[in-house]
Amino acid sequence: MISEKMLELGRKSSAIREIFEYGRKRKAQIGEENVFDFSLGNPSVCPPAVVGETIKKIVDELDPTELHGYTSAPGDLATRSAVANYLAEKYGTDDTADNIYMTVGAAASLTISLKAVICDGDEVIVLAPFFPEYRVFAESAGAKLVVVPCREGDFQLDADALSKAVNKNTKAVILNSPNNPTGAVFSEASIKTLAKILSEKEAEFSHTIYIISDEPYRELVYGDVKVPYTANYYDDTISCYSFSKSLSLPGERIGYICVSKKCGDWKDIFFAVCGAGRALGFVCAPSLMQKIIPACLGKTSDIAVYDTNRRILYKELTDYGYECVKPDGAFYMFVKALEPDAAAFCEKAKKHELLLVPSDSFGAEGYVRISYCVTTEQIMRSLPAFKALAEDYGKI
Ligand code: PLP
């Protein structure tokens, strides 16, 4: 007898992974350049030079037993201090190493944070459209997932829908801005409204409601768009960060949790984070990656390519008759499918070798996600296929 739940999870891969795997096979059949794969959020630009330079430097200079040895369970002290100092300088926080926990990326930051705060009977609210793994993470921590849709026209907070959904069992709201899959950045007004609603509900139900702020795309914004730092708007915030996207290091698995010192009982929450990390086996994030972080804070990959892709896609797709909210951040575009059934639309897109992800697993119907973290050349080559697909639906 083994865990039925885990068996089921392992057997059925995510919709995103299924399309990606289909793409791998199709590329082998007809050639890489003939398949327009927009399925995965795998950064297509190189990490900034400082990443490679720092790896070389510390490999050459540090004692290998120190470099490759265990760090302390929550992470290397110098790295945690550097992260805290960076946050303090950038956002005016009072963070120190004592409230920073190094993790293997945002997935671990989220699973640890949820396990740290969830008790039996708790509910976790996600704002749809949302990253599908939130369901897996929240349910595995023992919570019931409650889906609250965002406003349709701009993917900002729907205050009424949120107010109605928060109840005495609500323990946390997961916020993701810039957002996967919409590319929307929650405005300051949205964050302030969210903070106000949750503060009032905390008072009404006499218990803490956390914002678990999932921020792997925090630096990936275009033009003069600003991403409000959630912890500066709401005291009971646990920030979950990852360097996967900002430094193009998704395979290296490095990120952190910051338990805001404005959380009433932040020391206990931090201990619970340490306990959850221990219980899940997420202690002592990869030492080499931790040690490059101080030199890389505040640096990002060159996101100009994503911006170019975003502009071209938005212009051409809207010209062909597709509808979409222009994304301000991350590297996703959420486009209305040209028929109500997004999965059926994606099947038709496949006939033009376009690999798009249907929106159902993101908790929204009738859209597709396009991951435009690909080469601009792929974007250009894919345009006739998008056009032909629009023609199939009589849009042109
Ligand atoms: N959260 C969001 C919104 C994501 O898009 C992703 C990855 O795509 C993750 C979390 C997981 O990130 P990581 O690779 O750092 O675990």
Side-chain angles (χ1 to χ4, degrees):
M1 183 82 167
I2 57 170
S3 162
E4 283 296 325
K5 266 191 193 158
M6 294 304 127
L7 182 60
E8 197 196 329
L9 259 186
R11 274 198 173 139
K12 64 167 194 238
S13 58
S14 75
I16 302 171
R17 285 273 158 196
E18 260 173 36
I19 295 159
F20 174 71
E21 290 307 327
Y22 167 86
R24 264 181 0 117
K25 286 189 199 131
R26 192 72 186 133
K27 284 173 196 170
Q29 287 167 349
I30 65 167
E32 183 117 1
E33 67 289 355
N34 298 316
V35 181
F36 312 118
D37 184 354
F38 294 102
S39 61
L40 273 195
N42 209 4
S44 59
V45 294
C46 292
V50 65
V51 168
E53 287 161 10
T54 313
I55 291 174
K56 281 192 196 121
K57 187 169 182 301
I58 65 172
V59 166
D60 286 346
E61 289 177 8
L62 271 192
D63 173 350
T65 57
E66 190 200 334
L67 179 60
H68 301 299
Y70 290 120
T71 63
S72 68
D76 177 64
L77 189 58
T79 301
R80 290 161 60 209
S81 297
V83 168
N85 291 343
Y86 170 76
L87 294 173
E89 202 166 297
K90 179 146 195 211
Y91 301 113
T93 61
D94 52 0
D95 299 315
T96 56
D98 306 338
N99 61 322
I100 306 291
Y101 189 99
M102 300 306 295
T103 65
V104 282
S109 301
L110 289 159
T111 47
I112 292 172
S113 301
L114 286 162
K115 192 167 180 70
V117 301
I118 296 302
C119 305
D120 283 351
D122 282 348
E123 296 182 2
V124 170
I125 289 178
V126 289
L127 306 175
F130 63 93
F131 178 54
E133 294 302 284
Y134 291 163
R135 180 178 294 284
V136 179
F137 299 162
E139 290 179 354
S140 301
K144 178 180 162 206
L145 194 86
V146 175
V147 178
V148 172
C150 285
R151 293 197 311 229
E152 224 193 296
D154 58 4
F155 299 120
Q156 293 294 321
L157 184 75
D158 181 334
D160 286 345
L162 179 73
S163 289
K164 284 189 194 119
V166 180
N167 64 46
K168 62 177 178 22
N169 298 321
T170 307
K171 179 55 72 67
V173 176
I174 302 180
L175 175 70
N176 171 221
S177 174
N179 183 267
N180 173 8
T182 64
V185 174
F186 282 76
S187 64
E188 189 176 38
S190 277
I191 307 275
K192 280 185 172 165
T193 307
L194 173 65
K196 184 167 179 288
I197 293 170
L198 295 186
S199 302
E200 286 167 6
K201 297 286 181 185
E202 281 189 325
E204 181 183 341
F205 299 121
S206 306
H207 73 79
T208 307
I209 302 173
Y210 298 96
I211 293 183
I212 296 183
S213 187
D214 182 24
E215 305 177 354
Y217 302 98
R218 196 163 68 204
E219 293 85 6
L220 271 60
V221 281
Y222 309 107
D224 53 7
V225 172
K226 298 266 179 301
V227 180
Y229 186 61
T230 313
N232 280 345
Y233 293 84
Y234 186 70
D235 289 352
D236 295 314
T237 295
I238 303 174
S239 305
C240 293
Y241 187 78
S242 166
F243 296 93
S244 294
K245 316 288 175 167
S246 58
L247 292 178
S248 301
L249 290 178
E252 301 301 346
R253 315 306 300 137
I254 189 76
Y256 61 83
I257 297 168
C258 174
V259 174
S260 170
K261 284 197 178 177
K262 291 195 210 134
C263 287
D265 42 0
W266 72 267
K267 284 188 183 156
D268 279 353
I269 301 165
F270 190 74
F271 279 132
V273 161
C274 295
R278 186 176 165 195
L280 292 167
F282 284 148
V283 289
C284 181
S287 171
L288 172 59
M289 281 303 122
Q290 286 196 59
K291 292 190 170 85
I292 68 163
I293 291 304
C296 300
L297 289 161
K299 313 279 191 336
T300 64
S301 308
D302 179 5
I303 63 170
V305 175
Y306 304 144
D307 194 13
T308 304
N309 294 353
R310 176 184 78 114
R311 285 166 196 272
I312 297 172
L313 263 186
Y314 181 77
K315 180 179 176 308
E316 298 301 324
L317 264 53
T318 48
D319 277 359
Y320 304 153
Y322 294 93
E323 276 175 58
C324 120
V325 177
K326 192 173 187 182
D328 283 326
F331 36 51
Y332 307 103
M333 205 174 269
F334 210 51
V335 179
K336 265 224 158 112
L338 298 180
E339 62 176 292
D341 183 342
F345 177 69
C346 287
E347 284 306 310
K348 287 194 188 122
K350 268 188 193 165
K351 303 223 159 70
H352 298 280
E353 310 301 345
L354 283 170
L355 306 188
L356 317 174
V357 183
S359 59
D360 307 65
S361 61
F362 300 109
E365 284 175 11
Y367 287 84
V368 292
R369 186 189 77 171
I370 299 175
S371 289
Y372 59 81
C373 46
V374 296
T375 59
T376 304
E377 200 204 337
Q378 176 176 326
I379 300 279
M380 297 307 290
R381 274 190 287 109
S382 72
L383 294 177
F386 278 112
K387 191 168 180 204
L389 181 61
E391 277 164 358
D392 291 350
Y393 285 88
K395 284 276 170 189
I396 310 177

